């Protein structure tokens, strides 16, 4: 059974900012859209494999049951809700930044 993917407004906003930044920085909309496809593909895969993400290294995030998937230099933080059979995407952040406070 597939899990339903739910994205928070914050995660959507972060993803939009990433794509706009890549398009602006590279001057290439196609490069930004290709990157968006990579992230979307990784997120969509969670519908079939919700437990495939890693457990975060920070204990506070572990205790809150976050999981994380890595897409190049970005981290996608999510939680699995077994009762509703859903995956909630909470944040998409640059892994090179301090991200504990971004969630």
């Amino acid at each position: 059974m597939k899990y339903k993917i739910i994205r928070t407004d914050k995660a959507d906003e972060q993803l939009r900012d990433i794509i706009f930044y890549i398009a602006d920085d590279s001057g290439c909309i196609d490069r930004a859209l290709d990157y968006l496809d990579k992230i979307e593909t990784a997120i969509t895969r969670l519908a079939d494999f919700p437990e495939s993400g890693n457990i975060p290294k920070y204990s506070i995030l572990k205790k809150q049951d976050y999981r994380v998937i890595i897409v190049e230099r970005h981290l996608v933080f999510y939680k699995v809700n077994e009762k509703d059979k859903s995956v909630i995407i909470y944040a998409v952040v640059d892994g090179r930044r301090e991200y504990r406070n971004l969630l």
Side-chain angles (χ1 to χ4, degrees):
M1 178 185 167
K2 279 190 182 275
Y3 281 61
K4 188 166 91 178
I5 303 288
I6 300 165
R7 292 204 301 222
T8 62
D9 289 343
K10 181 176 185 175
D12 271 342
E13 185 181 314
Q14 290 169 327
L15 191 52
R16 209 170 20 251
D17 288 347
I18 291 164
I19 301 313
F20 284 145
Y21 174 80
I22 292 170
D24 193 45
D25 187 56
S26 69
C28 181
I29 291 171
D30 287 342
R31 182 174 292 161
L33 293 176
D34 286 348
Y35 196 69
L36 175 61
D37 279 346
K38 284 182 186 173
I39 293 175
E40 293 287 3
T41 298
I43 290 172
T44 302
R45 199 174 300 125
L46 293 174
D48 291 315
F49 305 105
E51 301 292 332
S52 62
N54 296 317
I55 294 168
K57 64 181 178 183
Y58 293 120
S59 61
I60 187 131
L61 298 176
K62 277 185 210 172
K63 287 179 186 153
Q64 294 174 12
D65 292 326
Y66 280 103
R67 295 186 80 84
V68 61
I69 51 174
I70 302 165
V71 182
E72 291 188 20
R73 65 179 178 267
H74 286 90
L75 307 175
V76 179
F77 287 93
Y78 70 97
K79 292 182 183 180
V80 178
N81 182 328
E82 286 297 337
K83 190 172 63 135
D84 296 342
K85 295 294 182 207
S86 63
V87 171
I88 302 105
I89 308 298
Y90 284 94
V92 183
V93 299
D94 189 324
R96 298 170 296 181
R97 292 183 45 207
E98 180 59 48
Y99 56 81
R100 264 186 300 197
N101 304 325
L102 296 175
L103 292 173

